[in-house]
Every structure is written in C-alpha cells, then in structure tokens.
Amino acid sequence: MGRTVRYEIMGPLRVVEGEKKLTIRARKIEVLLTVLLVRADQVVPIDQLIAEIWGEDPPRRAIAGLHVYVSQIRKFLRRPDPSESPVQTRTPGYVLQLGPDELDFHCFERLVGEGRNHLREGRYKQATAGFESALDLWRDPLLDDVCHGPILEGFQTWLKEARLECVEMLTDSRLMLGRHRELVSDLYQLTTEHPLREALHRQLMLALYRCGRRADALHVYQAARKTLNEELGLEPCRALQDMQRAILTSDDRLELQVPA
C-alpha cells in the first residue's frame, strides 16, 4: 500500500488508494479498524477495544484474539517498512496514526465548517456548494451492523445529528437563493422522517408560503404542534410560533430577499 490513503467510515468501511477501494469482510476486524479510525491519533485502551468487538461477554482469550486482529489490520494496511504501520502499540492499547492520510468524516467536518461560515456571511451560493460537498461524502448504510459498543454507537449518533444539521443549513442556504419550489417535496419527507425536528417544519412552512400555499403552510404548523404535544407535552419553539404568526399576518419579511 502506498503512503497516502483515504479512509471512509461514513458508510461501510473502505480504504481507498488511488483507483483501488479495499474492504474488510471479517466483521470483528472491521469493527476494530473502525474504532481506531473514529479515535484516530488517540490511544484506545485494550479493554475498550474488547468491549467494542465482543460487547459485555468477551471470550476468555479476548486479548489474544485482539492481538491477532491487530496483526491482520497491519497486514491489510501494509507499508514497505513494517515499522511505518499506521497502527502502533501504545500503553494501554493501540493507536492509529493518520499522518498524511485522509479520513472522510474529518473532510465532512471541514466542509460543514466552511459552509457555516459562508452562510453566516451571506455567501449563499458558496454555502450551498460546501454543504452539498459535505453530504456527498455520506454513504448508506451507515455502520448499522457493527455499532454495538459505546464508541461506535456514540460516533453513529453524532454523525447522524451532524448530517441533519448540515441538511438544515443547506436548506436555509437554498431558501435564501429562492429555490423554495424544489425544496417542498424533500421537506415533506424530512418532516415525516424527523417529526420532532422543529427547524424542518419551519423551513417547510416558509417554502410553502413562498409558493403561494399559505393554507398548507399553516396546516404544517398545526400538525407539528399536535405531534410535539402528543410526543413531548411541549408547545412549538419560539421560531416556529414566530413563523406561524408571520404567515398569518403576511409579514413582508417572509418574502425572498434577493442577495446583493
């Protein structure tokens, strides 16, 4: 394997080197490498690695098995000089050193951060491009059949939340660019999949209002309010209430403000 590779864990684990895309079929080895990548450049203790691979009931020879799996990962990530392996033994466990290699979720975080800055500064085209590039890194299914330990479960939860936040910011950017008509169907689907995500309801209401569908926009509010009451015993947040009030009064601020 050459010196520079790309690790991808926003979906089934694979290691990309040039035109080659390598995967691991053995589940426990896949779990181990994924955990080391999630904690890249950090030492992961042996007991945590065992918990990720075997859960709460590891076999008696779990440590010996772990050593075998580490050896197999080193072969998989082979380097011309064995001492240059990215997986190193460090008390009290192991560490995967990224060095010049890339990790897809690090790229995702960078692109989202850049997009957020563009959005904050009113550069909506650049923000849209950044968020779209970030979401393009997402590959389904996401780790679902390997996440049984706290490290991978926590990472999966974080990644799904980060993706939703990216989708919401991308939608805000597209709304600012006047792309409300193309957003309506996607937002209906998203609010169905994430009924407690109030930002999505607010965005759907605005998109419908700008499409001349004032009654539908108000219906979205009532449906969201009913769901929040039934599921959480809560009233809609201030932003959602403000959107309903603005639609009821046909507030001029809801009209598309063409960027300069």
Side-chain angles (χ1 to χ4, degrees), residues 179-202:
R179 296 167 63 177
H180 41 273
R181 294 189 183 279
E182 67 188 62
L183 289 170
V184 170
S185 59
D186 286 345
L187 281 168
Y188 265 120
Q189 181 176 343
L190 284 166
T191 53
T192 300
E193 294 173 355
H194 308 282
L196 303 180
R197 201 84 181 185
E198 293 175 88
L200 296 173
H201 293 290
R202 175 186 57 78

PDB file of all heavy atoms in Angstrom, residues 179-202:
ATOM      1  N   ARG A 179     -34.860  28.909  -3.971  1.00  0.00           N
ATOM      2  CA  ARG A 179     -35.103  27.574  -4.502  1.00  0.00           C
ATOM      3  C   ARG A 179     -36.196  26.857  -3.713  1.00  0.00           C
ATOM      4  O   ARG A 179     -36.181  25.636  -3.543  1.00  0.00           O
ATOM      5  CB  ARG A 179     -33.792  26.776  -4.488  1.00  0.00           C
ATOM      6  CG  ARG A 179     -32.748  27.383  -5.419  1.00  0.00           C
ATOM      7  CD  ARG A 179     -31.352  26.844  -5.212  1.00  0.00           C
ATOM      8  NE  ARG A 179     -31.250  25.423  -5.494  1.00  0.00           N
ATOM      9  CZ  ARG A 179     -30.106  24.735  -5.432  1.00  0.00           C
ATOM     10  NH1 ARG A 179     -28.981  25.360  -5.111  1.00  0.00           N
ATOM     11  NH2 ARG A 179     -30.089  23.445  -5.687  1.00  0.00           N
ATOM     12  N   HIS A 180     -37.201  27.626  -3.241  1.00  0.00           N
ATOM     13  CA  HIS A 180     -38.234  27.066  -2.374  1.00  0.00           C
ATOM     14  C   HIS A 180     -39.097  26.004  -3.054  1.00  0.00           C
ATOM     15  O   HIS A 180     -39.510  25.037  -2.424  1.00  0.00           O
ATOM     16  CB  HIS A 180     -39.129  28.177  -1.808  1.00  0.00           C
ATOM     17  CG  HIS A 180     -39.476  29.241  -2.796  1.00  0.00           C
ATOM     18  ND1 HIS A 180     -38.670  30.345  -3.012  1.00  0.00           N
ATOM     19  CD2 HIS A 180     -40.535  29.364  -3.643  1.00  0.00           C
ATOM     20  CE1 HIS A 180     -39.222  31.119  -3.931  1.00  0.00           C
ATOM     21  NE2 HIS A 180     -40.345  30.544  -4.339  1.00  0.00           N
ATOM     22  N   ARG A 181     -39.381  26.178  -4.349  1.00  0.00           N
ATOM     23  CA  ARG A 181     -40.263  25.213  -5.019  1.00  0.00           C
ATOM     24  C   ARG A 181     -39.661  23.811  -5.053  1.00  0.00           C
ATOM     25  O   ARG A 181     -40.361  22.819  -4.856  1.00  0.00           O
ATOM     26  CB  ARG A 181     -40.594  25.688  -6.437  1.00  0.00           C
ATOM     27  CG  ARG A 181     -41.432  26.959  -6.459  1.00  0.00           C
ATOM     28  CD  ARG A 181     -41.946  27.297  -7.843  1.00  0.00           C
ATOM     29  NE  ARG A 181     -42.679  28.563  -7.812  1.00  0.00           N
ATOM     30  CZ  ARG A 181     -43.949  28.694  -7.422  1.00  0.00           C
ATOM     31  NH1 ARG A 181     -44.615  27.603  -7.048  1.00  0.00           N
ATOM     32  NH2 ARG A 181     -44.527  29.877  -7.397  1.00  0.00           N
ATOM     33  N   GLU A 182     -38.369  23.740  -5.288  1.00  0.00           N
ATOM     34  CA  GLU A 182     -37.727  22.422  -5.371  1.00  0.00           C
ATOM     35  C   GLU A 182     -37.524  21.794  -3.995  1.00  0.00           C
ATOM     36  O   GLU A 182     -37.217  20.606  -3.901  1.00  0.00           O
ATOM     37  CB  GLU A 182     -36.374  22.520  -6.077  1.00  0.00           C
ATOM     38  CG  GLU A 182     -35.327  23.294  -5.309  1.00  0.00           C
ATOM     39  CD  GLU A 182     -34.066  23.539  -6.118  1.00  0.00           C
ATOM     40  OE1 GLU A 182     -34.144  24.210  -7.162  1.00  0.00           O
ATOM     41  OE2 GLU A 182     -33.011  23.042  -5.694  1.00  0.00           O
ATOM     42  N   LEU A 183     -37.713  22.573  -2.936  1.00  0.00           N
ATOM     43  CA  LEU A 183     -37.480  22.062  -1.592  1.00  0.00           C
ATOM     44  C   LEU A 183     -38.709  21.427  -0.950  1.00  0.00           C
ATOM     45  O   LEU A 183     -38.590  20.646  -0.012  1.00  0.00           O
ATOM     46  CB  LEU A 183     -36.996  23.199  -0.681  1.00  0.00           C
ATOM     47  CG  LEU A 183     -35.580  23.719  -0.925  1.00  0.00           C
ATOM     48  CD1 LEU A 183     -35.344  24.990  -0.126  1.00  0.00           C
ATOM     49  CD2 LEU A 183     -34.560  22.659  -0.546  1.00  0.00           C
ATOM     50  N   VAL A 184     -39.896  21.754  -1.453  1.00  0.00           N
ATOM     51  CA  VAL A 184     -41.126  21.355  -0.766  1.00  0.00           C
ATOM     52  C   VAL A 184     -41.232  19.841  -0.580  1.00  0.00           C
ATOM     53  O   VAL A 184     -41.462  19.346   0.529  1.00  0.00           O
ATOM     54  CB  VAL A 184     -42.362  21.901  -1.497  1.00  0.00           C
ATOM     55  CG1 VAL A 184     -43.644  21.281  -0.935  1.00  0.00           C
ATOM     56  CG2 VAL A 184     -42.429  23.427  -1.357  1.00  0.00           C
ATOM     57  N   SER A 185     -41.051  19.077  -1.640  1.00  0.00           N
ATOM     58  CA  SER A 185     -41.233  17.625  -1.529  1.00  0.00           C
ATOM     59  C   SER A 185     -40.195  17.014  -0.591  1.00  0.00           C
ATOM     60  O   SER A 185     -40.525  16.136   0.231  1.00  0.00           O
ATOM     61  CB  SER A 185     -41.167  16.968  -2.904  1.00  0.00           C
ATOM     62  OG  SER A 185     -39.920  17.226  -3.535  1.00  0.00           O
ATOM     63  N   ASP A 186     -38.934  17.470  -0.684  1.00  0.00           N
ATOM     64  CA  ASP A 186     -37.897  16.949   0.210  1.00  0.00           C
ATOM     65  C   ASP A 186     -38.209  17.286   1.665  1.00  0.00           C
ATOM     66  O   ASP A 186     -37.998  16.461   2.565  1.00  0.00           O
ATOM     67  CB  ASP A 186     -36.528  17.535  -0.163  1.00  0.00           C
ATOM     68  CG  ASP A 186     -35.967  16.930  -1.437  1.00  0.00           C
ATOM     69  OD1 ASP A 186     -36.480  15.881  -1.882  1.00  0.00           O
ATOM     70  OD2 ASP A 186     -35.010  17.509  -1.994  1.00  0.00           O
ATOM     71  N   LEU A 187     -38.708  18.491   1.908  1.00  0.00           N
ATOM     72  CA  LEU A 187     -39.003  18.883   3.278  1.00  0.00           C
ATOM     73  C   LEU A 187     -40.194  18.120   3.835  1.00  0.00           C
ATOM     74  O   LEU A 187     -40.220  17.798   5.030  1.00  0.00           O
ATOM     75  CB  LEU A 187     -39.241  20.393   3.358  1.00  0.00           C
ATOM     76  CG  LEU A 187     -37.965  21.234   3.353  1.00  0.00           C
ATOM     77  CD1 LEU A 187     -38.281  22.705   3.129  1.00  0.00           C
ATOM     78  CD2 LEU A 187     -37.199  21.049   4.663  1.00  0.00           C
ATOM     79  N   TYR A 188     -41.165  17.817   3.002  1.00  0.00           N
ATOM     80  CA  TYR A 188     -42.280  16.976   3.471  1.00  0.00           C
ATOM     81  C   TYR A 188     -41.741  15.609   3.921  1.00  0.00           C
ATOM     82  O   TYR A 188     -42.139  15.075   4.968  1.00  0.00           O
ATOM     83  CB  TYR A 188     -43.325  16.794   2.379  1.00  0.00           C
ATOM     84  CG  TYR A 188     -44.479  17.772   2.452  1.00  0.00           C
ATOM     85  CD1 TYR A 188     -44.760  18.637   1.413  1.00  0.00           C
ATOM     86  CD2 TYR A 188     -45.306  17.821   3.587  1.00  0.00           C
ATOM     87  CE1 TYR A 188     -45.816  19.543   1.479  1.00  0.00           C
ATOM     88  CE2 TYR A 188     -46.367  18.713   3.662  1.00  0.00           C
ATOM     89  CZ  TYR A 188     -46.617  19.566   2.599  1.00  0.00           C
ATOM     90  OH  TYR A 188     -47.669  20.453   2.688  1.00  0.00           O
ATOM     91  N   GLN A 189     -40.829  15.049   3.140  1.00  0.00           N
ATOM     92  CA  GLN A 189     -40.254  13.755   3.502  1.00  0.00           C
ATOM     93  C   GLN A 189     -39.431  13.853   4.781  1.00  0.00           C
ATOM     94  O   GLN A 189     -39.523  12.996   5.670  1.00  0.00           O
ATOM     95  CB  GLN A 189     -39.386  13.227   2.369  1.00  0.00           C
ATOM     96  CG  GLN A 189     -38.766  11.845   2.663  1.00  0.00           C
ATOM     97  CD  GLN A 189     -37.988  11.298   1.495  1.00  0.00           C
ATOM     98  OE1 GLN A 189     -38.135  11.749   0.367  1.00  0.00           O
ATOM     99  NE2 GLN A 189     -37.147  10.313   1.761  1.00  0.00           N
ATOM    100  N   LEU A 190     -38.628  14.910   4.891  1.00  0.00           N
ATOM    101  CA  LEU A 190     -37.779  15.069   6.069  1.00  0.00           C
ATOM    102  C   LEU A 190     -38.604  15.275   7.342  1.00  0.00           C
ATOM    103  O   LEU A 190     -38.262  14.738   8.404  1.00  0.00           O
ATOM    104  CB  LEU A 190     -36.826  16.253   5.868  1.00  0.00           C
ATOM    105  CG  LEU A 190     -35.638  16.003   4.936  1.00  0.00           C
ATOM    106  CD1 LEU A 190     -34.974  17.320   4.542  1.00  0.00           C
ATOM    107  CD2 LEU A 190     -34.619  15.078   5.607  1.00  0.00           C
ATOM    108  N   THR A 191     -39.681  16.040   7.256  1.00  0.00           N
ATOM    109  CA  THR A 191     -40.503  16.253   8.451  1.00  0.00           C
ATOM    110  C   THR A 191     -41.246  14.982   8.843  1.00  0.00           C
ATOM    111  O   THR A 191     -41.555  14.774  10.016  1.00  0.00           O
ATOM    112  CB  THR A 191     -41.518  17.392   8.235  1.00  0.00           C
ATOM    113  OG1 THR A 191     -42.289  17.141   7.042  1.00  0.00           O
ATOM    114  CG2 THR A 191     -40.818  18.735   8.112  1.00  0.00           C
ATOM    115  N   THR A 192     -41.507  14.125   7.871  1.00  0.00           N
ATOM    116  CA  THR A 192     -42.120  12.830   8.192  1.00  0.00           C
ATOM    117  C   THR A 192     -41.118  11.921   8.884  1.00  0.00           C
ATOM    118  O   THR A 192     -41.442  11.226   9.849  1.00  0.00           O
ATOM    119  CB  THR A 192     -42.631  12.146   6.905  1.00  0.00           C
ATOM    120  OG1 THR A 192     -43.603  12.986   6.282  1.00  0.00           O
ATOM    121  CG2 THR A 192     -43.257  10.799   7.217  1.00  0.00           C
ATOM    122  N   GLU A 193     -39.874  11.943   8.406  1.00  0.00           N
ATOM    123  CA  GLU A 193     -38.822  11.102   8.995  1.00  0.00           C
ATOM    124  C   GLU A 193     -38.364  11.629  10.349  1.00  0.00           C
ATOM    125  O   GLU A 193     -37.963  10.853  11.222  1.00  0.00           O
ATOM    126  CB  GLU A 193     -37.626  11.033   8.052  1.00  0.00           C
ATOM    127  CG  GLU A 193     -37.910  10.311   6.737  1.00  0.00           C
ATOM    128  CD  GLU A 193     -36.752  10.418   5.758  1.00  0.00           C
ATOM    129  OE1 GLU A 193     -35.770  11.137   6.064  1.00  0.00           O
ATOM    130  OE2 GLU A 193     -36.831   9.790   4.692  1.00  0.00           O
ATOM    131  N   HIS A 194     -38.429  12.956  10.538  1.00  0.00           N
ATOM    132  CA  HIS A 194     -37.935  13.578  11.775  1.00  0.00           C
ATOM    133  C   HIS A 194     -39.008  14.527  12.314  1.00  0.00           C
ATOM    134  O   HIS A 194     -38.843  15.755  12.286  1.00  0.00           O
ATOM    135  CB  HIS A 194     -36.634  14.332  11.510  1.00  0.00           C
ATOM    136  CG  HIS A 194     -35.587  13.501  10.823  1.00  0.00           C
ATOM    137  ND1 HIS A 194     -34.821  12.573  11.485  1.00  0.00           N
ATOM    138  CD2 HIS A 194     -35.205  13.451   9.520  1.00  0.00           C
ATOM    139  CE1 HIS A 194     -33.999  11.992  10.620  1.00  0.00           C
ATOM    140  NE2 HIS A 194     -34.209  12.503   9.435  1.00  0.00           N
ATOM    141  N   PRO A 195     -40.109  13.980  12.807  1.00  0.00           N
ATOM    142  CA  PRO A 195     -41.256  14.824  13.170  1.00  0.00           C
ATOM    143  C   PRO A 195     -41.017  15.771  14.333  1.00  0.00           C
ATOM    144  O   PRO A 195     -41.774  16.721  14.512  1.00  0.00           O
ATOM    145  CB  PRO A 195     -42.340  13.790  13.521  1.00  0.00           C
ATOM    146  CG  PRO A 195     -41.577  12.545  13.886  1.00  0.00           C
ATOM    147  CD  PRO A 195     -40.371  12.553  13.023  1.00  0.00           C
ATOM    148  N   LEU A 196     -39.967  15.536  15.128  1.00  0.00           N
ATOM    149  CA  LEU A 196     -39.696  16.420  16.263  1.00  0.00           C
ATOM    150  C   LEU A 196     -38.647  17.479  15.948  1.00  0.00           C
ATOM    151  O   LEU A 196     -38.251  18.249  16.809  1.00  0.00           O
ATOM    152  CB  LEU A 196     -39.240  15.589  17.475  1.00  0.00           C
ATOM    153  CG  LEU A 196     -40.217  14.504  17.937  1.00  0.00           C
ATOM    154  CD1 LEU A 196     -39.660  13.758  19.133  1.00  0.00           C
ATOM    155  CD2 LEU A 196     -41.586  15.096  18.257  1.00  0.00           C
ATOM    156  N   ARG A 197     -38.221  17.508  14.693  1.00  0.00           N
ATOM    157  CA  ARG A 197     -37.181  18.465  14.271  1.00  0.00           C
ATOM    158  C   ARG A 197     -37.874  19.753  13.827  1.00  0.00           C
ATOM    159  O   ARG A 197     -38.299  19.917  12.683  1.00  0.00           O
ATOM    160  CB  ARG A 197     -36.401  17.856  13.116  1.00  0.00           C
ATOM    161  CG  ARG A 197     -35.045  18.444  12.893  1.00  0.00           C
ATOM    162  CD  ARG A 197     -34.014  17.810  13.776  1.00  0.00           C
ATOM    163  NE  ARG A 197     -32.712  18.433  13.543  1.00  0.00           N
ATOM    164  CZ  ARG A 197     -31.606  18.023  14.111  1.00  0.00           C
ATOM    165  NH1 ARG A 197     -31.628  16.996  14.933  1.00  0.00           N
ATOM    166  NH2 ARG A 197     -30.476  18.644  13.870  1.00  0.00           N
ATOM    167  N   GLU A 198     -37.980  20.710  14.748  1.00  0.00           N
ATOM    168  CA  GLU A 198     -38.804  21.895  14.502  1.00  0.00           C
ATOM    169  C   GLU A 198     -38.255  22.776  13.385  1.00  0.00           C
ATOM    170  O   GLU A 198     -39.025  23.433  12.672  1.00  0.00           O
ATOM    171  CB  GLU A 198     -38.965  22.684  15.800  1.00  0.00           C
ATOM    172  CG  GLU A 198     -39.793  21.931  16.839  1.00  0.00           C
ATOM    173  CD  GLU A 198     -39.864  22.655  18.171  1.00  0.00           C
ATOM    174  OE1 GLU A 198     -40.775  23.490  18.334  1.00  0.00           O
ATOM    175  OE2 GLU A 198     -39.013  22.389  19.037  1.00  0.00           O
ATOM    176  N   ALA A 199     -36.936  22.809  13.219  1.00  0.00           N
ATOM    177  CA  ALA A 199     -36.358  23.637  12.151  1.00  0.00           C
ATOM    178  C   ALA A 199     -36.867  23.197  10.785  1.00  0.00           C
ATOM    179  O   ALA A 199     -37.116  24.040   9.901  1.00  0.00           O
ATOM    180  CB  ALA A 199     -34.833  23.568  12.192  1.00  0.00           C
ATOM    181  N   LEU A 200     -37.047  21.912  10.596  1.00  0.00           N
ATOM    182  CA  LEU A 200     -37.530  21.408   9.304  1.00  0.00           C
ATOM    183  C   LEU A 200     -38.972  21.842   9.052  1.00  0.00           C
ATOM    184  O   LEU A 200     -39.329  22.185   7.918  1.00  0.00           O
ATOM    185  CB  LEU A 200     -37.412  19.880   9.259  1.00  0.00           C
ATOM    186  CG  LEU A 200     -35.992  19.312   9.328  1.00  0.00           C
ATOM    187  CD1 LEU A 200     -36.023  17.796   9.453  1.00  0.00           C
ATOM    188  CD2 LEU A 200     -35.194  19.722   8.083  1.00  0.00           C
ATOM    189  N   HIS A 201     -39.794  21.825  10.086  1.00  0.00           N
ATOM    190  CA  HIS A 201     -41.171  22.302   9.940  1.00  0.00           C
ATOM    191  C   HIS A 201     -41.185  23.793   9.590  1.00  0.00           C
ATOM    192  O   HIS A 201     -41.973  24.234   8.734  1.00  0.00           O
ATOM    193  CB  HIS A 201     -41.960  22.064  11.234  1.00  0.00           C
ATOM    194  CG  HIS A 201     -42.182  20.611  11.557  1.00  0.00           C
ATOM    195  ND1 HIS A 201     -43.027  19.810  10.823  1.00  0.00           N
ATOM    196  CD2 HIS A 201     -41.654  19.827  12.520  1.00  0.00           C
ATOM    197  CE1 HIS A 201     -43.027  18.591  11.343  1.00  0.00           C
ATOM    198  NE2 HIS A 201     -42.196  18.567  12.371  1.00  0.00           N
ATOM    199  N   ARG A 202     -40.328  24.550  10.252  1.00  0.00           N
ATOM    200  CA  ARG A 202     -40.259  25.995   9.962  1.00  0.00           C
ATOM    201  C   ARG A 202     -39.864  26.226   8.508  1.00  0.00           C
ATOM    202  O   ARG A 202     -40.453  27.070   7.815  1.00  0.00           O
ATOM    203  CB  ARG A 202     -39.250  26.660  10.909  1.00  0.00           C
ATOM    204  CG  ARG A 202     -39.001  28.140  10.606  1.00  0.00           C
ATOM    205  CD  ARG A 202     -37.902  28.718  11.473  1.00  0.00           C
ATOM    206  NE  ARG A 202     -36.640  28.004  11.360  1.00  0.00           N
ATOM    207  CZ  ARG A 202     -35.787  28.142  10.339  1.00  0.00           C
ATOM    208  NH1 ARG A 202     -36.074  28.961   9.333  1.00  0.00           N
ATOM    209  NH2 ARG A 202     -34.658  27.465  10.319  1.00  0.00           N
TER     210      ARG A 202
END
